[in-house]
Amino acid sequence: MGVPERLAERMSMAEQHEYLRARFSRRSMIRGGAVTLGAVAGGVFVPGATGRAATPAALRTSVPPQAATSAERVDGSLVAPFGRHLAYGNDPRTEITVSWQVPLAVTKPFIRVGAHPQDLSRRIDAEVRTLHTPAGVGASADHTQYYVHAKLTHLKPGRTYYYGVGHAGFDPAEPHLLGTLGTFTTAPAHKTPFTFTAFGDEGVGYHGLANNNLLLGQNPAFHLHAGDIAYADPSGAGKTADTGFDSRVWDQFLAQTESVAKSVPWMPAYGNHDMEAWYSPNGYGGEEARWTLPDNGPDKKNLPGVYFFVHGNTAVISLDANDISFEIPANLGLSGGTQTTWLEAQLKKFRAAEDIDFVVVFFHHCAYCTSTAHASEGGVRQEWVPLFEKYSVDLVINGHNHQYERTDVIKAGAVTKKLPIGGTAYPESEGVVYVTAGAAGRSLYAFSAAESYEGHENEAESVASFVNTKDGKQNETVTWSRVRYLDYSFLRVDVKPAPKGHHATLTVRGIAETGEQVDHFTVARRAK
């Protein structure tokens, strides 16, 4: 995105951000035309900021100067919201954030919410986060995006609500706009069975859309996205030399996922393709404009994608593996160790909690994978795997490698129990199971060993692979690769609570884009 490769190789994400901000100065942006207040100020975004040049003349209306920052505003009746996506708040039983996008600057955005589609009298103002990308930062022309967020609180647990999003001139409560309404359901107050889904590495395209269509049929309570979300930055190296960066890809992505994300909380972790140097020193300024996630992590400023939430009897933790990645070090050491310290505190807390049976952790880079592309991340093994084992984490979900792979039960780097398709793992006494679910939509990678999946089992006693270390790639021969499937797929997890003293279960299934089941196994833990 404008830095010579010889310089980008030596730059951290923060240094790349500083370089871009210096190059695309206030003077050059003003000379280019469309400027937002956020861009001129040097910040990521300014709520409500807009640029006059961004609005086509056919849609502009004159307003009194005191009513707007510009002499002209868009006719809201001609602009429809799109790209709706939900996220849990800190307490999924009572908090949901509804986010969406508008293609042009509108005034007075809001959300209507109620228990019935004919009862949307509750109207709540929304926040606009304007994100400006000047021409020259990547492949797109000068581009301004308008992301809108409304945080809903004091909701009732286990309830389904109807909502509509709008702005001045576009009211979803109007009879002709009732077809634009969406729904969401809050998390339950007590332990009840539920399903969630997960994948990573989606991007924009047919296969991502096909997987999304199947997700709806699983009726998930929420969906986990294990990083590399839209691929607006196609290189994923965390370098400003990537001339292919195009912020407009996010518009396509949010439109693509709306069919699911408008009714299912869409909870992302951030991967290497999600670091975008223009917007902020950590590369996540663009993500902060697009998402509103729980803010209960260790460092909201540097690690906005690190958080947790609890749904029923299951605690879910999102981590940022860019912070500990030896393979792609643009943000290596970003947290100064605070993320790992926080992780241990959360795991300790959840294991002691009487109402939580399962702990699921998801993040981007793989702890254990035999892909010929990225394989395994030594930073994860060094920093987090010992904690996963110490606190007997029930399931670890990763992306990064574009395929489906599932391990046996692992502890201290060795197989403690072979876990065949249909088998059961007991993490309290045996170890941890790791699943790579990175085949959501982007081009597929390869394995060094033959595929082996449900109905097509081909057991390999050992597989040649490698791990990324601080000293580079280190070859290894592993025995823990149990299931390998090389086509588009996602993960379905069915959670079943149990009476105290009996075994609660996670039934984990790998589902192909075709609907075929390629893997299934169970994780069992004695309920508290």
Side-chain angles (χ1 to χ4, degrees):
M1 296 183 328
V3 181
E5 183 67 29
R6 65 182 185 279
L7 294 179
E9 288 290 344
R10 301 193 298 270
M11 284 183 173
S12 68
M13 183 58 59
E15 290 169 336
Q16 295 167 51
H17 171 73
E18 184 177 356
Y19 179 97
L20 287 173
R21 285 287 163 171
R23 178 177 176 183
F24 295 93
S25 64
R26 179 178 185 275
R27 175 175 299 177
S28 63
M29 285 191 293
I30 291 175
R31 198 162 48 234
V35 183
T36 68
L37 297 180
V40 172
V44 175
F45 54 79
V46 173
T50 184
R52 176 172 174 173
T55 306
L59 298 182
R60 294 179 196 154
T61 58
S62 298
V63 296
Q66 68 272 18
T69 57
S70 171
E72 296 172 319
R73 282 285 185 174
V74 65
D75 181 350
S77 66
L78 302 178
V79 178
F82 72 97
R84 289 169 292 176
H85 50 289
L86 309 178
Y88 280 144
N90 289 1
D91 185 351
R93 299 170 300 179
T94 61
E95 298 175 352
I96 287 274
T97 295
V98 180
S99 303
W100 65 97
Q101 206 174 344
V102 286
L104 301 166
V106 298
T107 58
K108 299 180 180 179
F110 63 89
I111 185 172
R112 289 190 180 276
V113 62
H116 304 284
Q118 289 78 32
D119 178 21
L120 296 175
S121 58
R122 186 181 179 190
R123 175 170 165 160
I124 300 168
D125 291 340
E127 172 196 4
V128 179
R129 300 176 190 169
T130 302
L131 196 65
H132 175 254
T133 310
V137 176
S140 65
D142 194 282
H143 190 49
T144 301
Q145 293 161 306
Y146 306 92
Y147 299 101
V148 193
H149 304 263
K151 186 172 183 179
L152 306 178
T153 61
H154 301 93
L155 302 170
K156 294 183 179 180
R159 287 286 188 90
T160 296
Y161 289 85
Y162 292 81
Y163 74 90
V165 298
H167 47 261
F170 188 101
D171 190 338
E174 294 292 331
H176 69 287
L177 293 177
L178 290 179
T180 68
L181 299 184
T183 64
F184 63 81
T185 302
T186 53
H190 307 290
K191 297 182 180 182
T192 58
F194 69 93
T195 297
F196 71 88
T197 53
F199 61 41
D201 305 79
E202 182 180 5
V204 176
Y206 168 78
H207 296 292
L209 181 62
N211 267 330
N212 286 345
N213 290 339
L214 278 182
L215 286 181
L216 271 180
Q218 316 305 311
N219 192 29
F222 57 86
H223 176 70
L224 306 180
H225 197 307
D228 283 6
I229 304 169
Y231 283 82
D233 175 3
S235 89
K239 299 187 183 305
T240 55
D242 178 20
T243 56
F245 174 76
D246 192 337
S247 61
R248 297 170 297 184
V249 171
W250 280 102
D251 303 344
Q252 296 173 286
F253 176 83
L254 290 174
Q256 172 182 286
T257 58
E258 183 175 19
S259 63
V260 182
K262 70 179 181 182
S263 58
V264 176
W266 195 274
M267 309 302 292
Y270 296 151
N272 51 296
H273 282 272
D274 303 316
M275 295 184 288
E276 299 167 345
W278 163 250
Y279 302 110
S280 65
N282 62 4
Y284 301 133
E287 309 299 357
E288 290 187 270
R290 302 172 188 120
W291 308 95
T292 297
L293 301 172
D295 60 0
N296 49 26
D299 185 348
K300 184 65 176 174
K301 178 180 178 182
N302 287 314
L303 301 171
V306 179
Y307 58 89
F308 71 84
F309 64 91
V310 175
H311 186 107
N313 69 338
T314 303
V316 180
I317 300 175
S318 169
L319 298 176
D320 184 350
N322 292 318
D323 179 33
I324 60 170
S325 172
F326 293 133
E327 180 197 13
I328 302 171
N331 263 338
L332 180 61
L334 178 65
S335 77
T338 59
Q339 181 174 197
T340 299
T341 300
W342 174 86
L343 171 61
E344 179 162 22
Q346 302 314 307
L347 293 176
K348 184 177 181 179
K349 176 183 69 175
F350 291 139
R351 278 291 165 247
E354 286 295 322
D355 56 344
I356 292 175
D357 297 318
F358 296 112
V359 177
V360 174
V361 181
F362 76 109
F363 52 93
H364 189 59
H365 300 62
C366 299
Y368 294 100
C369 185
T370 63
S371 165
T372 57
H374 302 295
S376 303
E377 173 55 64
V380 173
R381 292 190 189 179
Q382 174 182 299
E383 295 292 324
W384 296 343
V385 165
L387 296 179
F388 299 157
E389 295 175 355
K390 179 179 180 179
Y391 296 97
S392 64
V393 166
D394 299 284
L395 181 65
V396 175
I397 300 171
N398 300 131
H400 201 39
N401 289 292
H402 301 180
Q403 56 223 47
Y404 179 93
E405 186 169 14
R406 192 257 293 167
T407 71
D408 286 321
V409 188
I410 300 176
K411 182 177 285 188
V415 175
T416 58
K417 176 183 178 179
K418 286 188 176 182
L419 188 62
I421 293 170
T424 300
Y426 299 88
E428 291 173 278
S429 58
E430 295 175 346
V432 184
V433 180
Y434 299 81
V435 179
T436 298
R442 292 292 284 189
S443 57
L444 298 168
Y445 291 165
F447 290 113
S448 60
E451 290 182 76
S452 182
Y453 57 95
E454 192 162 338
H456 305 270
E457 295 179 49
N458 186 9
E459 182 173 348
E461 291 186 4
S462 62
V463 176
S465 189
F466 65 90
V467 57
N468 294 283
T469 74
K470 62 181 178 181
D471 298 318
K473 292 182 179 180
Q474 178 180 311
N475 291 331
E476 62 178 7
T477 300
V478 307
T479 60
W480 39 253
S481 178
R482 178 55 48 190
V483 177
R484 297 175 299 278
Y485 178 72
L486 193 59
D487 213 334
Y488 297 99
S489 58
F490 64 92
L491 208 61
R492 169 181 172 146
V493 182
D494 297 299
V495 184
K496 185 177 180 181
K500 185 175 182 179
H502 293 74
H503 279 101
T505 58
L506 299 177
T507 301
V508 186
R509 295 181 172 89
I511 309 294
E513 179 189 282
T514 61
E516 175 188 10
Q517 182 171 285
V518 298
D519 184 26
H520 75 282
F521 66 96
T522 299
V523 177
R525 178 179 289 273
R526 196 172 298 277
K528 298 176 182 177

